[in-house]
Amino acid sequence: MPVIRVDKQDLELFPQWSEINHYGINHLQVGQEVPLHYHECNEYWIIVSGRGICTTEGDTYEIGPGDIVLTEQGQEHSLIVTEEMTAVYIYGVLPPGGKIGYLYRNKGERQ
């Protein structure tokens, strides 16, 4: 079983059988916003602490500790932080040629 460090991720480190190909830990401040965007893979957020309001797949939710947000590949989502938050995000399997990062429908750019 491999161990992958959050600060040293490389797609080649994840075994072929893994349903995860990237992850991270976000520490977000009150008022911080994650703009509406989408990914080329499914994405999962696990809220460790704090609170916020997220939009995913066209619905809006208040989220807090212990919640998991599931967003399907290609579906737009965003977040407004209402209480200092720590969240883990996990990217699912990328399609062939897919890339990690934010995509914007109106801007057509990757971040």
Side-chain angles (χ1 to χ4, degrees):
M1 170 179 11
V3 173
I4 298 171
R5 309 287 180 205
V6 72
D7 60 343
K8 296 184 185 203
Q9 294 183 56
D10 190 342
L11 283 175
E12 289 77 35
L13 296 175
F14 290 85
Q16 282 189 317
W17 53 261
S18 178
E19 297 172 1
I20 296 171
N21 64 51
H22 183 74
Y23 72 98
I25 303 168
N26 283 336
H27 302 283
L28 305 161
Q29 301 302 313
V30 172
Q32 191 170 347
E33 294 187 30
V34 176
L36 195 63
H37 67 281
Y38 68 97
H39 301 282
E40 294 182 330
C41 60
N42 297 333
E43 184 183 34
Y44 311 91
W45 300 346
I46 300 171
I47 310 307
V48 176
S49 64
R51 299 196 173 278
I53 300 169
C54 78
T55 299
T56 183
E57 300 183 8
D59 294 315
T60 300
Y61 303 90
E62 290 186 25
I63 55 173
D67 291 345
I68 183 168
V69 178
L70 301 94
T71 302
E72 186 178 11
Q73 172 186 351
Q75 295 292 321
E76 292 181 304
H77 52 285
S78 63
L79 173 67
I80 299 170
V81 179
T82 58
E83 180 182 298
E84 188 173 335
M85 180 183 286
T86 298
V88 174
Y89 65 90
I90 300 166
Y91 284 9
V93 177
L94 283 169
K99 296 195 173 149
I100 293 170
Y102 287 20
L103 293 171
Y104 303 96
R105 297 241 187 267
N106 297 331
K107 298 179 185 176
E109 63 188 48
R110 226 180 271 283
Q111 185 176 4

